[in-house]
Amino acid sequence: MFRKNCDCIIIPIISVILGIISGIIVYNVALAAITTAVWIAFGLACAIALVLVYLTTNARRSDEVCLDNYAYCLPIGIVGTIVTAIVAIVITIVAASVVRAIVFGLGAAFFFTMLFSFIALIICLMKQKCRCME
């Protein structure tokens, strides 16, 4: 059964706004912890990808509704976060560089998309398990 999911429309819009803000902050302030943040984002993306694979392979009929709702925006966030994290790690970026701000902002947008979609998926699964929707 197909149900409209407004979360996959709202989440990327909010994520792009937060990504732009993150890129501006990175460009204006030389943060020493950017490499650490990129590694953390990469690790979280890999962990969430493993959780998503586990959920899809062991899905029950009640879980399929939640997985169908977030099957589009969550993998995009995961793949985008992993790719931009790899690009940010591989490229040696000069401090206060426009390229650094763009890569970090794009990575932040994908990261927030992944994070918000995963949180929405977990909330949906909890509502399904607890029967809180009734």
Side-chain angles (χ1 to χ4, degrees):
M1 174 178 8
F2 180 74
R3 193 178 81 182
K4 282 190 172 183
N5 184 11
C6 295
D7 290 343
C8 279
I9 296 170
I10 295 170
I11 287 173
I13 293 171
I14 294 171
S15 298
V16 166
I17 293 169
L18 290 174
I20 291 170
I21 292 170
S22 299
I24 291 170
I25 290 172
V26 166
Y27 182 73
N28 291 328
V29 180
L31 298 174
I34 288 178
T35 306
T36 306
V38 170
W39 277 106
I40 290 171
F42 180 75
L44 279 174
C46 292
I48 290 174
L50 290 175
V51 169
L52 185 63
V53 167
Y54 174 78
L55 287 175
T56 54
T57 55
N58 296 324
R60 296 185 188 118
R61 186 162 298 274
S62 62
D63 298 341
E64 289 177 2
V65 173
C66 296
L67 291 172
D68 288 343
N69 286 341
Y70 300 100
Y72 300 107
C73 50
L74 187 56
I76 291 170
I78 291 171
V79 171
T81 302
I82 291 173
V83 169
T84 55
I86 290 172
V87 168
I89 291 168
V90 169
I91 296 176
T92 305
I93 302 175
V94 182
S97 168
V98 174
V99 175
R100 178 177 111 186
I102 291 171
V103 169
F104 191 81
L106 189 62
F110 281 123
F111 177 75
F112 286 124
T113 300
M114 174 194 67
L115 187 66
F116 294 152
S117 299
F118 185 67
I119 290 170
L121 174 68
I122 296 299
I123 290 171
C124 180
L125 288 172
M126 288 174 64
K127 284 181 180 178
Q128 289 291 331
K129 298 291 182 197
C130 298
R131 304 275 188 233
C132 301
M133 294 172 54
E134 298 176 337

